[in-house]
């Protein structure tokens, strides 16, 4: 049968308590030694009995282990102290910055003409002087920008004029290379009038003959009127007809 579970509490019997202390102290030291050997660690155990007797175990020497312990404890304390100091400084700096921000906001409101309560004549005069100086600076900067814009406009205008002059010269050079020819009058074909037919020619000749007969009487003289091509001169019979 295995050992029963023992309740962990103070042993009332002094002799039993002393026996248990002795056994468990030996087992504790044994476990510490095994831990140092198995895990290659530095282990130190200090035990005081209820009577004040000292028992200790150290795998690398108690003084060496205690010195190392004190160094680690000191560095830890120093780190903690440094962290606390840094936090205090940061908190102080935050308070200072908040106060400066509050002052700047109040000053900005005063420059805008707000939150002027509680200010004296000198303070108001200082604010007025600051505003006047700021206004003069703004006007000077505005005039400077306007002059720069005007100068840029002049430069652009001169550039455009030079470009126009260059284009005009190029056009004149092209005109010199390719002179314009005189404008040719287009030939218009005039359709000749249609010649009178033989009937119209005969009637015209008859009128002329009648006129001549009225002036000089009957005569065999016939005027050669220069008939158009293709019209033959009338014979004697035709003349009689005309008469």
């Amino acid at each position: 049968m295995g050992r029963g579970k023992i309740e962990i509490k103070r042993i009332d019997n002094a002799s039993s308590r002393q026996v248990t202390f002795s056994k468990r102290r030996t087992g504790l030291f044994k476990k510490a030694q095994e831990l140092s050997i198995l895990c290659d660690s530095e282990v130190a155990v200090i035990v005081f009995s209820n009577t004040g007797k000292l028992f200790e175990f150290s795998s690398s020497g108690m003084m060496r282990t205690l010195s190392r312990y004190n160094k680690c404890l000191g560095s830890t304390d120093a780190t903690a102290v440094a962290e606390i100091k840094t936090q205090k400084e940061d908190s102080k700096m935050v308070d200072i910055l908040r106060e400066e921000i509050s002052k700047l906001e109040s000053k900005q409101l005063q420059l805008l003409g707000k939150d002027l309560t509680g200010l004296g004549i000198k303070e108001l005069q200082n604010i007025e002087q600051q505003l006047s100086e700021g206004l003069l600076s703004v006007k000077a900067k505005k005039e400077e920008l306007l002059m720069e814009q005007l100068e840029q406009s002049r430069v652009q205008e001169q550039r455009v004029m030079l470009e126009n002059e260059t284009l005009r010269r190029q056009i004149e050079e092209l005109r010199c290379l390719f002179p314009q020819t005189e404008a040719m009058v287009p030939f218009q074909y005039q359709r000749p009038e249609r010649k009178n037919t033989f009937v119209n020619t005969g009637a015209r000749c008859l009128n002329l003959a009648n006129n001549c007969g009225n002036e000089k009487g009957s005569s065999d003289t016939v005027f050669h009127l220069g008939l158009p091509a293709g019209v033959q001169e009338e014979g004697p019979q035709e003349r009689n007809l005309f008469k």
Side-chain angles (χ1 to χ4, degrees):
M1 295 178 65
R3 295 177 58 184
K5 187 175 181 181
I6 300 175
E7 185 180 0
I8 303 299
K9 67 177 183 177
R10 182 177 181 275
I11 300 173
D12 296 332
N13 191 349
S15 60
S16 298
R17 186 169 58 246
Q18 185 64 31
V19 172
T20 303
F21 173 77
S22 178
K23 290 181 179 181
R24 289 187 175 264
R25 185 193 69 233
T26 304
L28 177 61
F29 288 167
K30 184 179 180 181
K31 292 292 183 182
Q33 184 179 9
E34 292 176 355
L35 178 62
S36 64
I37 294 172
L38 292 174
C39 301
D40 193 17
S41 58
E42 186 175 353
V43 181
V45 179
I46 298 175
V47 179
F48 290 94
S49 66
N50 59 349
T51 58
K53 191 176 181 179
L54 173 62
F55 300 93
E56 63 180 21
F57 167 80
S58 177
S59 61
S60 301
M62 183 59 67
M63 296 303 296
R64 176 182 174 182
T65 303
L66 289 176
S67 177
R68 184 177 179 183
Y69 171 77
N70 290 328
K71 288 181 180 179
C72 293
L73 185 62
S75 62
T76 304
D77 293 340
T79 303
V81 171
E83 289 179 356
I84 294 172
K85 186 177 180 180
T86 303
Q87 290 177 359
K88 289 181 179 181
E89 291 178 354
D90 293 342
S91 178
K92 186 177 180 180
M93 184 62 65
V94 169
D95 293 336
I96 294 172
L97 292 175
R98 286 178 179 175
E99 186 177 358
E100 291 181 356
I101 291 171
S102 179
K103 290 181 180 179
L104 291 174
E105 289 178 351
S106 178
K107 188 174 182 180
Q108 184 179 6
L109 292 174
Q110 291 174 359
L111 291 175
L112 294 175
K114 301 177 182 180
D115 194 13
L116 299 177
T117 57
L119 297 178
I121 296 175
K122 292 183 178 180
E123 294 175 348
L124 293 174
Q125 288 177 353
N126 291 330
I127 293 173
E128 184 180 2
Q129 185 178 0
Q130 291 177 2
L131 291 174
S132 300
E133 293 176 356
L135 184 60
L136 292 176
S137 300
V138 171
K139 287 183 178 180
K141 186 63 177 179
K142 181 181 178 181
E143 291 178 357
E144 183 180 356
L145 292 176
L146 290 175
M147 293 299 295
E148 290 179 357
Q149 292 180 359
L150 181 60
E151 186 66 23
Q152 291 178 0
S153 300
R154 289 178 180 175
V155 172
Q156 291 179 357
E157 184 178 358
Q158 292 178 358
R159 187 180 301 171
V160 171
M161 291 177 64
L162 290 175
E163 291 178 355
N164 292 336
E165 183 66 20
T166 303
L167 291 174
R168 187 182 64 80
R169 290 179 180 178
Q170 291 179 356
I171 292 172
E172 290 181 355
E173 291 177 357
L174 291 174
R175 287 179 178 176
C176 294
L177 292 174
F178 302 98
Q180 295 181 355
T181 58
E182 295 182 356
M184 300 297 293
V185 179
F187 175 78
Q188 296 181 356
Y189 173 77
Q190 296 180 354
R191 185 176 182 182
E193 297 180 357
R194 296 181 63 183
K195 297 180 180 180
N196 295 328
T197 59
F198 177 77
V199 177
N200 293 331
T201 305
R204 186 174 59 183
C205 293
L206 181 60
N207 292 330
L208 291 172
N210 290 331
N211 293 330
C212 293
N214 293 329
E215 293 178 357
K216 296 181 180 181
S218 59
S219 176
D220 293 336
T221 304
V222 177
F223 294 96
H224 296 279
L225 302 178
L227 298 177
V231 179
Q232 297 179 357
E233 186 179 358
E234 296 86 347
Q237 295 179 357
E238 292 177 352
R239 292 176 184 174
N240 294 329
L241 292 174
F242 293 152
K243 294 180 180 179

